[in-house]
Amino acid sequence: MSSKLTYLRSARLAARYPCHRRAFASAASSRADHVRIVEVGPRDGLQNERQTIPLATKVELVERLARTGLTTIEAGSFVSPKWVPQMANSAEILEHVLTRTPQSPHPITYQWLLPNVKGFDNFLAMWKAKAQSGQDAYPTPPPSPGTDNGPALNTSSADPNAMPSSSSGAEAMGKARGASTAPIHELSIFTAATESFTQKNTNCSIAESLKRFEPIMAKAKEMNLNVRAYISVALGCPYEGPDVDPHKVAELAISLLEMGADEISVADTTGMGTAPRTLELLKTLNAAGIDKSDLALHFHDTYGQALVNSVVALEHGIRTFDAAVGGLGGCPFSPGATGNVATEDLVHCFHSLGASTGVDLEQLSEVGEWISQELGRANDSRAGKATLAQLRKAT
């Protein structure tokens, strides 16, 4: 780890200059791989809905998604209900996952977004409550080298670019029950690439947001929990416009990795990103010495460019992408931004290019139709609607 951090520190200077070192990856060399999809529908997808969504609906959404072959689900956010009312019952969703593990064909990593130490404390309150009730909710330390404690729950054998998995209390509970699909839990933190958005979103500067993360990162590592870090508005800001400096994004990513983040999700929160600017950003991140395996891309489809930008990132070697079933989403702090790229559309696109995701498109399409009906909104996944139409035609 120290050598990696030394390299990242030395790469700070490179982050200030455009990259001319590496050519654009060819389709032949980069498409036919496994792609990891991070399903953000239960959190990022629902947070901007105006109507109050019943807890039972949120839990059922997680349950249904778990059966589709997805391996990572962002299930909730421990933010203040004052600012994001829709996330007020995330503790109850965590309790459900801890005590009644959703059935799934593969072990699932559940991610929980935390804005600050208070959010982490609220997360820990539920975690500790499970421990005190006799359920070991604390993560267990990794086995000593050379010991055989059974198969690990890390899916890296199927996905070489997946984040290292950490053991969790739910994993311990699952093993006690003899379950083969015990979940892993990870934390997420977030900052932004512009000062204006950071002030609007978290009421602090970028530097102050990083300072807030230090105790969260330290405690997470103590508990053996992986941490994902979001960088919002990396390809366009609602307050500062579309020309966000990619070198600032790279320097911020380096700072987060140095702090101990396990993965950086670079987010086009406004959907302003274009193919040329997406490529420029990816080249800049590469020039800064940031491994592609440390990155995820998070596109919104405000201007209909999310799939185009995703293919650009795929050809550049990115293998982790965020998406929301049914195209759910929007950001309460980004006026005009529409939903995330639909998971169904992303899966269909990647499958058509020869990549694998492990996701059952038909099952996923059914989930997208169901949650859209539950919310009384249109299903924004074109691939999902087309897939269901073909299924109905066949029957």
Side-chain angles (χ1 to χ4, degrees):
M1 184 67 178
S2 60
S3 61
K4 180 178 181 180
L5 295 185
T6 300
Y7 180 60
L8 287 170
R9 291 189 183 100
S10 68
R12 283 186 180 276
L13 183 62
R16 297 188 177 96
Y17 299 97
C19 171
H20 301 291
R21 301 192 281 112
R22 184 166 294 183
F24 188 51
S26 67
S29 66
S30 63
R31 280 182 179 166
D33 288 323
H34 181 82
V35 176
R36 171 173 163 257
I37 304 294
V38 177
E39 173 58 55
V40 300
R43 196 281 298 178
D44 197 26
L46 297 184
Q47 69 175 3
N48 210 36
E49 291 293 320
R50 295 182 181 275
Q51 61 176 313
T52 300
I53 304 171
L55 174 61
T57 300
K58 296 177 183 178
V59 168
E60 186 171 354
L61 175 59
V62 172
E63 294 270 2
R64 286 174 179 250
L65 288 169
R67 296 193 290 267
T68 64
L70 289 161
T71 57
T72 309
I73 299 174
E74 187 180 49
S77 173
F78 287 80
V79 298
S80 169
K82 175 183 176 182
W83 300 112
V84 188
Q86 204 65 259
M87 295 290 105
N89 45 20
S90 289
E92 286 83 355
I93 299 173
L94 172 60
E95 179 183 24
H96 178 85
V97 174
L98 287 172
T99 58
R100 295 178 292 280
T101 303
Q103 293 297 306
S104 61
H106 311 288
I108 292 182
T109 296
Y110 290 96
Q111 297 179 341
W112 310 91
L113 190 71
L114 311 172
N116 48 39
V117 171
K118 184 175 181 180
F120 194 18
D121 289 342
N122 292 336
F123 171 84
L124 288 178
M126 177 56 68
W127 203 274
K128 291 178 179 178
K130 296 300 101 185
Q132 291 170 355
S133 66
Q135 296 163 322
D136 182 12
Y138 282 101
T140 55
S144 301
T147 61
D148 183 9
N149 291 332
L153 291 181
N154 193 337
T155 58
S156 58
S157 59
D159 177 6
N161 292 328
M163 293 193 302
S165 65
S166 59
S167 298
S168 71
E171 176 183 342
M173 288 186 283
K175 286 182 178 179
R177 293 194 302 264
S180 60
T181 56
I184 298 162
H185 294 272
E186 296 178 349
L187 307 179
S188 299
I189 56 178
F190 59 93
T191 187
T194 67
E195 292 290 350
S196 298
F197 191 85
T198 307
Q199 288 286 352
K200 292 282 187 180
N201 197 12
T202 59
N203 198 32
C204 68
S205 67
I206 295 174
E208 289 169 337
S209 72
L210 295 178
K211 195 71 177 175
R212 290 179 180 181
F213 298 151
E214 290 178 358
I216 296 175
M217 202 75 74
K219 184 65 175 177
K221 295 308 174 184
E222 179 185 322
M223 297 177 65
N224 200 28
L225 288 167
N226 281 349
V227 178
R228 175 185 235 226
Y230 285 96
I231 301 177
S232 299
V233 298
L235 285 164
C237 174
Y239 310 107
E240 298 185 20
D243 297 321
V244 175
D245 186 350
H247 306 101
K248 289 184 178 179
V249 178
E251 291 195 358
L252 187 52
I254 289 170
S255 295
L256 290 162
L257 288 168
E258 287 180 349
M259 289 175 65
D262 298 283
E263 180 177 74
I264 308 295
S265 178
V266 181
D268 182 18
T269 313
T270 61
M272 293 181 184
T274 62
R277 287 197 291 110
T278 297
L279 180 57
E280 180 187 8
L281 174 58
L282 291 170
K283 286 184 175 182
T284 303
L285 292 166
N286 184 59
I290 299 170
D291 289 344
K292 296 180 179 72
S293 60
D294 289 333
L295 294 173
L297 270 292
H298 179 115
F299 291 111
H300 284 240
D301 205 30
T302 310
Y303 294 92
Q305 298 299 298
L307 284 180
V308 174
N309 295 336
S310 297
V311 172
V312 168
L314 183 74
E315 292 190 329
H316 191 75
I318 303 300
R319 291 296 177 270
T320 301
F321 292 84
D322 300 353
V325 66
L328 298 174
C331 177
F333 303 101
S334 179
T338 56
N340 296 271
V341 62
T343 315
E344 303 96 309
D345 294 355
L346 200 62
V347 168
H348 177 269
C349 177
F350 288 163
H351 287 182
S352 74
L353 296 173
S356 64
T357 65
V359 178
D360 186 316
L361 181 57
E362 293 181 0
Q363 284 189 319
L364 187 67
S365 299
E366 291 171 352
V367 177
E369 180 181 54
W370 170 80
I371 189 60
S372 297
Q373 291 174 348
E374 289 289 310
L375 300 177
R377 55 169 286 168
N379 182 353
D380 285 336
S381 171
R382 287 167 291 183
K385 289 184 288 188
T387 297
L388 293 175
Q390 289 297 319
L391 286 173
R392 289 162 184 155
K393 181 179 179 180
T395 57

